[in-house]
Amino acid sequence: MKYFAVFFFTLLSTIGFAQETVSTVPQRVSGYIYNDNSKEPIPNVNVINTNKVRGAMSDGKGYFEIDVQVNDTLHFSILGFQSLRIRVTNDWVKNKVTRIQLTEKAIALEEVVIAPFNLTGYLEVDSKLIPTKENYRYSISGLTQGYEAGEYSPNAFGKVLGSIFNPADMLYNFFGKNGRELKKLKEMRKDDTVRNLLESKYDRETVAVLLGISKDEIPQILERCSYSEAFIQEANDLQIMDAISACYEQYKVLKRN
């Protein structure tokens, strides 16, 4: 009887532990995305699994499907609405479908000031008045347009090398602490939905979410990698992500050596 009681208690403990164990097998969940005010479905919402770097988009009925594991985080974004992050729960995986509501943004239009160059109409004179940029252009594989780096690459090499031997340097802190997030850069290239999303965005929000940093840190990182101010301001999110990836790869090579 004594041994039976011990066996019974052990069996119950095992069953309870198994129920609490989070499954690592990918599951497919779905949902409908609505405007929380009008209750109308929202099409073309970008849905990204930030843990797996996989993406999806809602259809005309606001419906989407995406592969997940329990405790993954999904990031929902679309122009004109506040972005939303939701953690995947056991209940969602069990029920397969859920309802997501997004809130519209109150957007205030800013005043645009156009600064004239005070052109005279004479080509020889005006050609000297128009500011020129001496930024070097480089290409990123898979993109039709190049990008600008503010200074010639040997100086960029020196800055990255210097950060390796300076624990107080921003690149040292960023690349050292965010290695797991930076590994997502390679995974990003495998998903066309994520790449297409980043190529069409310029707000740095998705880049910040995927890398686990704030949007304010992105220009600081790129400046330390010697990218020009023009590139930092004008590049799309895919180019920004590829620029950070290139800088990180250079950092890893230098650190190994």
Side-chain angles (χ1 to χ4, degrees):
M1 183 68 183
K2 176 182 177 181
Y3 294 106
F4 176 77
V6 173
F7 172 77
F8 184 71
F9 177 77
T10 304
L11 181 62
L12 289 178
S13 300
T14 304
I15 294 174
F17 178 77
Q19 290 177 338
E20 293 177 359
T21 301
V22 176
S23 173
T24 58
V25 178
Q27 305 282 339
R28 175 155 286 245
V29 297
S30 61
Y32 290 88
I33 306 173
Y34 295 94
N35 183 322
D36 70 344
N37 182 36
S38 67
K39 309 306 178 186
E40 294 291 325
I42 309 176
N44 303 320
V45 176
N46 297 295
V47 185
I48 294 182
N49 183 332
T50 61
N51 298 82
K52 306 296 184 295
V53 197
R54 293 292 183 268
M57 183 176 291
S58 61
D59 61 17
K61 297 180 180 179
Y63 180 78
F64 71 93
E65 292 183 351
I66 191 167
D67 291 333
V68 300
Q69 290 178 357
V70 174
N71 292 329
D72 281 354
T73 298
L74 300 187
H75 181 75
F76 299 81
S77 64
I78 187 174
L79 187 64
F81 287 82
Q82 295 179 15
S83 298
L84 183 66
R85 271 185 274 186
I86 296 179
R87 186 173 64 86
V88 177
T89 63
N90 276 306
D91 288 341
W92 189 356
V93 172
K94 181 180 179 180
N95 297 325
K96 298 298 183 183
V97 65
T98 191
R99 182 186 179 99
I100 308 294
Q101 298 189 59
L102 298 184
T103 303
E104 288 186 83
K105 285 183 178 178
I107 302 176
L109 298 179
E110 298 180 358
E111 181 181 2
V112 178
V113 179
I114 300 176
F117 292 129
N118 297 320
L119 301 182
T120 64
Y122 294 95
L123 181 60
E124 293 183 359
V125 177
D126 293 343
S127 62
K128 299 178 181 180
L129 295 176
I130 299 176
T132 59
K133 300 177 182 177
E134 297 182 356
N135 296 322
Y136 292 84
R137 293 188 66 82
Y138 300 88
S139 63
I140 293 178
S141 60
L143 298 181
T144 57
Q145 295 182 343
Y147 64 87
E148 293 180 344
E151 303 172 37
Y152 190 53
S153 57
N155 189 53
F157 176 90
K159 286 189 175 182
V160 176
L161 180 63
S163 72
I164 293 176
F165 300 103
N166 181 10
D169 189 275
M170 181 178 185
L171 288 184
Y172 180 95
N173 291 326
F174 173 67
F175 290 147
K177 295 178 181 178
N178 296 71
R180 176 186 245 178
E181 283 76 13
L182 287 160
K183 289 179 181 178
K184 296 177 183 177
L185 296 173
K186 293 183 179 179
E187 293 298 318
M188 176 201 71
R189 300 173 185 275
K190 300 177 183 178
D191 193 288
D192 290 338
T193 303
V194 176
R195 286 184 61 85
N196 293 337
L197 165 62
L198 292 174
E199 194 171 6
S200 65
K201 294 191 71 173
Y202 294 81
D203 60 8
R204 315 302 186 230
E205 178 186 346
T206 306
V207 175
V209 169
L210 289 175
L211 294 181
I213 59 177
S214 69
K215 291 197 290 185
D216 295 336
E217 290 178 284
I218 293 173
Q220 298 176 39
I221 294 166
L222 293 173
E223 285 172 5
R224 289 295 301 154
C225 294
S226 286
Y227 287 91
S228 71
E229 182 179 352
F231 169 72
I232 294 171
Q233 293 179 352
E234 299 171 8
N236 62 43
D237 285 0
L238 179 58
Q239 291 172 311
I240 293 293
M241 190 74 93
D242 276 342
I244 294 176
S245 177
C247 190
Y248 178 55
E249 292 301 322
Q250 188 180 64
Y251 175 89
K252 288 196 301 181
V253 171
L254 293 175
K255 190 174 182 181
R256 282 199 301 267
N257 297 333

